[in-house]
Amino acid sequence: PKPCYQCDDPPCIKVCPVGATYRNEEGLVGQVYMRCIGCRYCMVACPFTAKVFNWEEPKWIDGATTCFNPDVSRRMVGVVEKCSFCAHRLLKVKENADQEERPIRDGEYVPACMENCPADAIAFGDLEDKQSVVHKLAHGYRAFRVMEDLGLEPKVYYLAKRMT
């Protein structure tokens, strides 16, 4: 699945008849796969085409099922899914920070795409923390958001090519 743009005003939650797509208290767009009825309204409403429909049961090679991540729910056929930037990893980081009674440190949350990007082209952090790397990048002269004119306020920023 393509990454969800984590909009502040997401159209996908407005059209879901069963409330499978929602915004949590942190402002992240989540999805309850067990609640999804597969009507695909959210797919149509998302201008970023970030959601995909699970048409077929996945086929795994022998022994691959032992490698599944226990922190991630396996989706069944007939539901819409999306990338959530490894929200399960964010929950673990939050739990650790809560146990240690401290805020989440900048750069502590690392989703799989960032961990595996060979060019270090992906950054995550708190956009509201003025000292964070992502805040500085998002407020730099090269930062822009895709389809910003739609008024959805996506939280994903891109950096324009540096002019030399």
Side-chain angles (χ1 to χ4, degrees), residues 121-137:
I122 302 171
F124 282 85
D126 187 354
L127 283 170
E128 295 176 8
D129 176 8
K130 294 185 191 294
Q131 302 304 315
S132 72
V133 172
V134 294
H135 179 83
K136 291 173 184 170
L137 289 171

Side-chain angles (χ1 to χ4, degrees), residues 7-119:
C7 302
D8 281 337
D9 188 21
C12 57
I13 65 170
K14 297 172 185 174
V15 298
C16 183
V18 293
T21 302
Y22 66 98
R23 250 180 109 221
N24 67 16
E25 63 276 356
E26 294 152 340
L28 298 176
V29 179
Q31 188 158 337
V32 181
Y33 297 108
M34 296 301 285
R35 191 181 293 170
C36 179
I37 59 172
C39 66
R40 301 187 295 266
Y41 291 165
C42 59
M43 287 177 63
V44 174
C46 179
F48 305 107
T49 61
K51 297 187 176 213
V52 295
F53 188 72
N54 235 350
W55 289 100
E56 298 176 7
E57 191 72 41
K59 294 174 179 67
W60 305 101
I61 59 172
D62 291 335
T65 55
T66 60
C67 299
F68 289 146
N69 186 340
D71 298 329
V72 179
S73 62
R74 291 179 46 200
R75 271 76 80 195
M76 64 293 272
V77 174
V79 299
V80 175
E81 62 180 322
K82 68 180 186 80
C83 168
S84 299
F85 292 122
C86 297
H88 62 285
R89 290 185 179 197
L90 177 59
L91 288 175
K92 276 192 174 177
V93 167
K94 280 183 61 177
E95 288 172 5
N96 290 341
D98 287 345
Q99 285 177 348
E100 297 172 11
E101 298 178 353
R102 62 169 176 81
I104 296 173
R105 291 185 285 266
D106 191 30
E108 187 175 8
Y109 163 53
V110 180
C113 57
M114 181 178 168
E115 184 177 31
N116 292 298
C117 181

